[in-house]
Amino acid sequence: MNGAIVSTVRTALLAGVAACAFFADMGATFAQDVIPLPEQQADDNAKLYLSSNQLVYDRDHKKVTATGAVKINYKGHKLVADNVTYDQASGRLIADGKIEVVEPDGNKIYADKMDVTDDFGQGFINSLRIETTDDTHIAAESGQRVNSTVFVLQNGVYTACKPCADQPEKAPLWQVKARKVIENGETHTVRLEGTRLELFGAPIAYLPFIEVPDHTVKRKSGFLFPTFSSAQNLGFGGTVPYYYVINPSTDFTFSPTVYSTQGLLLAGELRQKFDSGTHTLQMAGISQMKAKVFAAGTSDSLRTQRGMIRSTGAFQINPRWSFGWDVMAQTDNNFSRTYSLKGLNSSTFTNQIYLTGLGKRNYFDVRSYYFDVQDADPKNTAEYQQAFVHPVLDYNAVLDKPIGGGELSYNLNFTNLTHRGLSAYTAGTTARFPGVRGEVSRLSADAQWRRRFVTDGGLVVTPVLAARADTFQLGMKAPSSATYTYAGNFYSGVATTRSMITAGTEVSYPFLITMPGSEHIIEPVGQIFVRPDEQMAGRMPNEDAQSFVFDATNLFDRDKFSGYDRIEGGTRANLGVRYKGTFDNGFSVNAIAGQSFQVAGRNSFAQTDLVYAGWNSGLDKKASDYVGMVNVQTPFGLGVTESLRLKKENFQLARLDSTLSYSSKIYNTSVTYSRIASQPEYGAAEDREQFILTNSVKFKDYWKLYGTVNYDLRKRYLNSSTVGISYEDECTIFAIGFTSTRDTSNNSGSDWAVGARLTFRTLGDVRVGDATSSSF
């Protein structure tokens, strides 16, 4: 029960005073159905309307009485009662008999009797009941107004749970009871005395008193709901946050956590709001009591004093431009992840600063990155191998006017980065170098024109013209390996350029087949892109095109590489077919299948580079592997997606990703099976198989069991698993779960954790760790 809830009661008294304003001006005995205030005819909202079966003015006793289905409407406030009496001598208005008041915002107030003074200074309501528009419910034996500034509820009850339709007298799932609720208009506080929280009608918590700000106060210092956690190497933890208002635009939350194993963690978050944005400063630190419980030799076990600081800003310069940053520094590379600090528990934290502009047909973004790898390595080896990106700039635009009847678009990209150290590993018999020590700058610009023609016969022809130019400024130290030679460019201060011109055409012939109960669109597609060989193929650094998977989703891409550092060259043809089928019974099928061919010139995917991008991808031969994808959706919630790559030589399976999902009101499940054939040149001597299952089952209306399993079928062990149970209705959320992770490098600090959550709508929640059942 809070200030906003208690203040709702005053509407009932306000409606009564409105009636006083009307009755006080009456000078004769009369009765009529509807009476607007004469002096307020110009403002319909200010008119007071009264209707009743009978209206009597007693001149001797100076009383005005309306009886029988009394209705009063004033400034959007509506009052209904059996009888309403105004005593001019005492200045009091009394209403009784099935009183109902409706506020302009829709809140409803019920009472048996209301007695107020005409100045709204004093009064009371008996048998009070309130129903708000957000489905909260309040009841009290009585409500009383004292000295114009104090409002008192006696024996108040508050809940956000709906009453049981079959048994309205049954106690709700939870409710808050208070012997007395006092709202003070001068101090703007609400004091609850003799307060207890009940669950299923039984008290579970009791406080002698609680004092909270009323509805007029947007922010007020005070304690927040406690949270709890439990993890393998941290122990059981309890947090009691304190919220402190510094000024109207700045506040601070102090969140100390006591861990049974590691001791006291001090954490705080300072938030500042400006006219154009916000800034947040997050801090945390601990002196670990038992660092040795962590795995020996890890960054968690080697340091006792640990801490971090993080700054985040987001500012809207104008409707099109925004600016911001998110940076973090910590004493070691795993502190934030181990203690699951807010927003910092991932394996990699990206420090960045950015400026972004968004127009109707263009986009600009410039940002700098530094990647903070959070792992257990005390030497920070993986982080030291990451690049400083300072900066990367992207600009793309689509001209709003046709050029030659077609659409012209262009992109600009500038990247400048530095590696402090060499990043190298051996896969199979080859050495790979994801990062080479030194500095690289690249400026790239490309433009594309395309136009779509449709012949009378239904043939769709789309010619494409594209041009690309790159300039590199290199300053790297050449990597060396006994098993690897690389004829790349690493000369400091040398500018290197390359270009690419592409002329291509896509031809497709979609045709519609209409059958009883279904429609089918079959579209054969053929593409050819004519261009010279990739200049200096594989001899330039590769930072943003290292990841590559050939499948049906990129079969018809003009350039299949994932970034700017590599560019597809040579003449290539892509052949395939698209299919879409819809059925009257609710089924639908979408499919793509095809193959790609290196018609002439050097195959870029067969050219080795620092990371062997494209090698053994299925595109490194003149005729590629076969790729296909099928998606089937059913009207009863079942969905199937199959994506595969078959080797062209023998149709053996090279890669398979299969997902089966089912969704209904009761049952939701998703099963994903992945299989990748052995790739010795990538260090995978055996086939790889993985099975991922997510599952949830609802029962008894509000309960749900959920779980996830990530299982390696070849090595026969669980990578991770989660199991839990939750309850969720209109007013309460409860969840508890257990998570276990196979962490052979001890990067996460703990191999298991328990999470729980108990939320009372409109009041707050209590948490133990992280129990995110809603994600299943």
Side-chain angles (χ1 to χ4, degrees):
M1 199 176 303
N2 56 42
I5 298 163
V6 175
S7 64
T8 306
V9 181
R10 293 182 295 187
T11 301
L13 303 182
L14 177 61
V17 174
C20 293
F22 166 71
F23 285 125
D25 289 337
M26 293 184 60
T29 302
F30 61 89
Q32 64 184 59
D33 291 333
V34 180
I35 309 173
L37 291 178
E39 68 274 16
Q40 295 174 332
Q41 294 289 340
D43 186 358
D44 289 339
N45 291 327
K47 295 176 182 178
L48 185 147
Y49 293 90
L50 167 72
S51 68
S52 64
N53 294 336
Q54 186 179 33
L55 185 64
V56 177
Y57 178 54
D58 185 344
R59 291 180 179 274
D60 295 333
H61 297 90
K62 294 185 178 181
K63 289 185 178 181
V64 183
T65 303
T67 59
V70 181
K71 297 181 181 179
I72 297 174
N73 190 336
Y74 181 66
K75 290 186 176 180
H77 299 86
K78 300 177 182 179
L79 181 145
V80 177
D82 290 342
N83 304 285
V84 177
T85 300
Y86 175 61
D87 189 334
Q88 288 179 308
S90 64
R92 302 190 73 86
L93 179 138
I94 300 173
D96 61 62
K98 299 179 181 178
I99 299 171
E100 179 179 345
V101 178
V102 180
E103 292 184 278
D105 59 6
N107 292 338
K108 295 180 180 181
I109 304 168
Y110 304 91
D112 291 340
K113 186 174 183 179
M114 181 175 66
D115 186 341
V116 298
T117 58
D118 56 8
D119 63 355
F120 192 43
Q122 296 182 353
F124 68 86
I125 304 177
N126 280 344
S127 301
L128 177 68
R129 184 166 55 89
I130 303 171
E131 296 177 0
T132 67
T133 54
D134 64 346
D135 284 329
T136 59
H137 305 270
I138 310 154
E141 289 184 358
S142 63
Q144 184 176 6
R145 184 80 169 174
V146 182
N147 298 328
S148 300
T149 59
V150 178
F151 188 76
V152 181
L153 285 178
Q154 300 289 344
N155 295 326
V157 180
Y158 169 74
T159 184
C161 302
K162 295 180 180 179
C164 179
D166 299 330
Q167 297 175 284
E169 72 284 353
K170 183 180 178 181
L173 179 61
W174 65 265
Q175 59 186 0
V176 178
K177 289 186 177 181
R179 176 172 47 82
K180 182 182 291 187
V181 183
I182 305 170
E183 181 188 29
N184 192 314
E186 292 183 350
T187 61
H188 299 285
T189 59
V190 178
R191 180 182 175 91
L192 292 82
E193 298 180 352
T195 306
R196 68 178 183 268
L197 173 64
E198 293 186 355
L199 196 62
F200 298 107
I204 61 170
Y206 174 83
L207 288 174
F209 70 91
I210 304 174
E211 189 167 280
V212 296
D214 69 10
H215 72 290
T216 65
V217 179
K218 303 301 182 183
R219 301 154 65 241
K220 187 175 179 64
S221 302
F223 287 99
L224 305 178
F225 266 82
T227 60
F228 304 93
S229 62
S230 180
Q232 180 183 14
N233 294 325
L234 306 182
F236 183 80
T239 307
V240 182
Y242 184 82
Y243 176 75
Y244 179 67
V245 178
I246 300 174
N247 58 48
S249 60
T250 308
D251 54 45
F252 180 76
T253 301
F254 177 57
S255 305
T257 302
V258 177
Y259 289 101
S260 60
T261 302
Q262 297 301 339
L264 177 63
L265 173 74
L266 298 178
E269 186 174 272
L270 177 70
R271 292 168 294 272
Q272 297 173 285
K273 186 175 182 179
F274 303 91
D275 291 339
S276 59
T278 60
H279 171 247
T280 301
L281 185 65
Q282 186 179 352
M283 299 159 285
I286 190 173
S287 177
Q288 295 185 148
M289 294 192 309
K290 298 180 180 180
K292 299 304 180 183
V293 302
F294 294 102
T298 64
S299 54
D300 295 298
S301 67
L302 296 177
R303 186 182 290 270
T304 300
Q305 308 296 328
R306 309 180 72 184
M308 59 74 58
I309 184 169
R310 176 191 186 189
S311 174
T312 304
F315 295 87
Q316 194 70 36
I317 301 173
N318 58 42
R320 295 184 61 180
W321 289 91
S322 61
F323 168 73
W325 68 87
D326 190 357
V327 295
M328 184 263 289
Q330 54 186 343
T331 54
D332 62 89
N333 57 321
N334 212 33
F335 167 65
S336 298
R337 185 184 184 191
T338 297
Y339 284 88
S340 298
L341 299 182
K342 177 183 176 183
L344 298 171
N345 60 352
S346 61
S347 60
T348 302
F349 176 79
T350 304
N351 296 271
Q352 60 179 308
I353 181 171
Y354 63 87
L355 173 67
T356 300
L358 181 63
K360 292 183 179 179
R361 298 177 68 87
N362 58 356
Y363 173 76
F364 174 90
D365 182 88
V366 59
R367 61 186 65 210
S368 294
Y369 295 101
Y370 173 69
F371 302 99
D372 195 332
V373 178
Q374 302 193 100
D375 59 19
D377 178 12
K379 296 182 180 179
N380 291 29
T381 303
E383 182 175 327
Y384 190 72
Q385 294 172 347
Q386 299 301 308
F388 283 99
V389 182
H390 43 85
V392 58
L393 180 151
D394 283 289
Y395 178 79
N396 59 71
V398 179
L399 298 188
D400 54 358
K401 294 183 179 180
I403 302 295
E407 179 186 81
L408 178 64
S409 62
Y410 61 91
N411 301 280
L412 295 173
N413 176 270
F414 173 75
T415 300
N416 175 256
L417 56 85
T418 301
H419 280 282
R420 293 175 292 176
L422 175 68
S423 175
Y425 67 95
T426 300
T429 59
T430 59
R432 314 295 171 92
F433 302 92
V436 179
R437 185 177 179 181
E439 183 176 357
V440 179
S441 296
R442 177 182 43 75
L443 175 63
S444 300
D446 72 76
Q448 176 180 276
W449 176 89
R450 59 185 296 147
R451 183 177 179 182
R452 189 168 183 261
F453 298 90
V454 181
T455 68
D456 294 338
L459 189 68
V460 180
V461 180
T462 306
V464 176
L465 295 175
R468 163 88 175 266
D470 303 283
T471 298
F472 288 83
Q473 188 77 20
L474 306 176
M476 302 171 296
K477 183 178 180 180
S480 60
S481 171
T483 59
Y484 185 80
T485 58
Y486 181 75
N489 296 331
F490 302 102
Y491 306 109
S492 179
V494 174
T496 303
T497 62
R498 69 180 181 188
S499 61
M500 179 66 68
I501 297 177
T502 303
T505 301
E506 177 180 292
V507 179
S508 65
Y509 188 73
F511 55 94
L512 174 67
I513 300 175
T514 301
M515 304 176 64
S518 64
E519 287 186 350
H520 309 266
I521 299 176
I522 300 175
E523 183 182 16
V525 180
Q527 293 177 327
I528 187 165
F529 297 107
V530 180
R531 56 204 162 195
D533 293 344
E534 179 187 7
Q535 297 176 354
M536 294 173 289
R539 296 178 57 198
M540 305 302 292
N542 182 0
E543 295 286 344
D544 67 353
Q546 297 184 5
S547 174
F548 181 77
V549 175
F550 174 51
D551 57 24
T553 62
N554 55 22
L555 170 64
F556 296 114
D557 288 353
R558 174 170 58 87
D559 189 339
K560 297 178 177 59
F561 282 113
S562 57
Y564 285 94
D565 284 340
R566 290 296 306 272
I567 181 170
E568 188 175 337
T571 299
R572 178 170 289 275
N574 303 311
L575 300 177
V577 61
R578 301 188 186 106
Y579 166 79
K580 181 176 182 179
T582 57
F583 301 82
D584 293 348
N585 58 8
F587 282 78
S588 65
V589 181
N590 289 274
I592 301 176
Q595 190 178 16
S596 183
F597 301 88
Q598 188 72 25
V599 178
R602 182 185 299 158
N603 188 344
S604 293
F605 300 100
Q607 300 301 308
T608 60
D609 64 9
L610 285 170
V611 292
Y612 279 63
W615 193 259
N616 200 21
S617 65
L619 283 168
D620 50 333
K621 306 280 195 310
K622 281 191 172 293
S624 77
D625 290 345
Y626 302 98
V627 292
M629 183 175 65
V630 179
N631 175 262
V632 180
Q633 294 296 323
T634 69
F636 47 84
L638 182 66
V640 180
T641 301
E642 300 284 345
S643 178
L644 55 81
R645 177 163 65 92
L646 302 176
K647 295 181 180 180
K648 71 174 185 66
E649 298 86 359
N650 50 21
F651 287 92
Q652 289 185 355
L653 189 66
R655 184 184 181 105
L656 171 67
D657 295 288
S658 178
T659 300
L660 174 68
S661 63
Y662 175 74
S663 178
S664 69
K665 293 181 179 180
I666 296 176
Y667 191 70
N668 287 274
T669 187
S670 175
V671 182
T672 300
Y673 169 78
S674 298
R675 179 177 178 180
I676 305 174
S678 61
Q679 296 175 295
E681 291 302 321
Y682 281 95
E686 299 178 351
D687 293 353
R688 288 157 287 171
E689 291 182 274
Q690 181 176 261
F691 172 83
I692 300 175
L693 168 68
T694 64
N695 204 25
S696 68
V697 182
K698 291 183 178 180
F699 61 99
K700 291 187 178 296
D701 295 329
Y702 304 114
W703 289 93
K704 179 170 68 173
L705 283 170
Y706 61 89
T708 64
V709 172
N710 184 323
Y711 187 75
D712 190 314
L713 293 169
R714 289 283 174 170
K715 297 182 179 179
R716 298 184 179 180
Y717 58 66
L718 278 174
N719 292 314
S720 64
S721 62
T722 298
V723 63
I725 187 171
S726 69
Y727 173 92
E728 182 173 354
D729 62 15
E730 80 283 351
C731 65
T732 310
I733 298 175
F734 167 76
I736 184 169
F738 174 83
T739 299
S740 176
T741 303
R742 179 181 173 86
D743 185 12
T744 56
S745 300
N746 297 291
N747 287 329
S748 63
S750 297
D751 291 335
W752 59 263
V754 176
R757 174 188 178 190
L758 178 60
T759 300
F760 303 111
R761 186 173 69 88
T762 73
L763 290 184
D765 61 1
V766 178
R767 293 176 181 264
V768 176
D770 184 22
T772 53
S773 64
S774 60
S775 64
F776 300 103

